[in-house]
Amino acid sequence: MRVIIVEDKVAGGKEACKVFANALANGAKVLGLATGGTPETTYQELVASKLDFSKLVSVNLDEYVGLGADDPQSYNYYMKQHLFNQKPFAKSYLPNGLAENEAAEIERYNQVLAANPVDLQLLGIGENGHIGFNEPGSPLDAKTRKVALTESTIKANARYFEREEDVPRYAYSMGIGSIMQAKEILLEAFGAKKAQAVKALVEGPVDANVPATILQKHPNVTVIVDKQAAALLTKK
């Protein structure tokens, strides 16, 4: 696990862009993408870069159950606003939040991932150590599944909605087993609220109650954190 400590999230986005550029230079064909506040500066750098994604495939970590692609709070909409409209891919896959048959949608997305092995997967990390929507206690070998969001995650995501009760209670998410299949993983964390999770990720034991710690078992992980998120690390 390679840890890069930067001054702030703007610098973090620049470092992340270098990781993407290196992956493309090494022949990456499929990029795994994430949403939320953390990767925004990374997407800004990718949009401003000369990188060409027009022959690549993207697959996203997750999507809220109950939100359609045109809903401004959906992750499909987020990706269009932050990346796809400016840097289109040959094909972009996300779970369908409005799928009528949940089991069929889960199977569809697992087939998408099987047909498009991820070369580089971008991740954030929750304050409780979740990756994707894989909350504490999630099975470490799971594939795509429907997950119930914890109260802490609902509260953390409420800032994007008019009211907390508007936050969906369920999401489709790549499982930890699916995430671990990526050839390379890039995890970003910014801000003091992520410091405890980052310490567990980098220095703690592998523990299903802190899902991100499983990344210690992956052979190719880069962690980009700002000084606040790195504050509790003993080795800097």
Side-chain angles (χ1 to χ4, degrees):
M1 185 177 287
R2 181 170 65 119
V3 179
I4 301 172
I5 299 175
V6 296
E7 187 66 32
D8 54 29
K9 63 184 180 181
V10 174
K14 294 182 185 301
E15 286 296 328
C17 189
K18 294 177 185 177
V19 175
F20 274 84
N22 185 65
L24 266 63
N26 288 326
K29 297 291 189 293
V30 181
L31 301 181
L33 302 176
T35 53
T38 298
E40 287 183 3
T41 57
T42 297
Y43 292 144
Q44 289 168 8
E45 291 295 327
L46 293 178
V47 167
S49 76
K50 294 182 180 180
L51 296 177
D52 180 10
F53 301 138
S54 63
K55 295 182 180 179
L56 275 62
V57 171
S58 71
V59 292
N60 261 72
L61 278 172
D62 40 35
E63 178 61 282
Y64 286 121
V65 171
L67 298 188
D70 294 330
D71 190 302
Q73 303 303 337
S74 74
Y75 289 154
N76 199 311
Y77 190 93
Y78 172 105
M79 291 306 306
K80 291 174 184 174
Q81 294 298 307
H82 290 280
L83 185 63
F84 295 161
N85 287 346
Q86 302 92 334
K87 291 275 190 175
F89 285 71
K91 186 68 177 177
S92 291
Y93 294 100
L94 292 94
N96 177 8
L98 295 181
E100 294 183 6
N101 186 320
E102 294 177 359
E105 176 59 15
I106 289 168
E107 177 59 25
R108 179 192 74 86
Y109 211 65
N110 282 327
Q111 290 179 2
V112 165
L113 296 176
N116 298 278
V118 174
D119 293 300
L120 173 64
Q121 177 66 58
L122 177 64
L123 297 175
I125 184 172
E127 293 175 32
N128 62 5
H130 74 239
I131 47 177
F133 274 125
N134 296 287
E135 302 284 6
S138 295
L140 298 179
D141 59 351
K143 294 184 178 181
T144 305
R145 59 204 181 97
K146 180 183 177 181
V147 295
L149 308 188
T150 64
E151 281 303 313
S152 64
T153 295
I154 290 169
K155 288 184 182 299
N157 289 355
R159 67 187 187 276
Y160 299 113
F161 293 80
E162 286 188 16
R163 302 172 302 170
E164 185 175 313
E165 52 263 40
D166 294 335
V167 182
R169 266 45 185 174
Y170 294 91
Y172 292 119
S173 179
M174 279 190 208
I176 295 174
S178 300
I179 291 170
M180 290 291 285
Q181 291 297 309
K183 295 173 186 173
E184 180 179 3
I185 291 174
L186 168 61
L187 183 144
E188 299 177 312
F190 307 123
K193 290 184 177 180
K194 301 294 179 72
Q196 193 64 53
V198 168
K199 180 175 177 61
L201 162 69
V202 177
E203 299 177 354
V206 175
D207 181 355
N209 289 315
V210 188
T213 58
I214 190 65
L215 299 181
Q216 293 177 23
K217 294 183 175 292
H218 193 282
N220 190 2
V221 177
T222 300
V223 177
I224 297 176
V225 291
D226 65 4
K227 290 182 177 179
Q228 287 184 318
L232 300 179
L233 295 178
T234 58
K235 300 174 183 177
K236 299 179 184 178

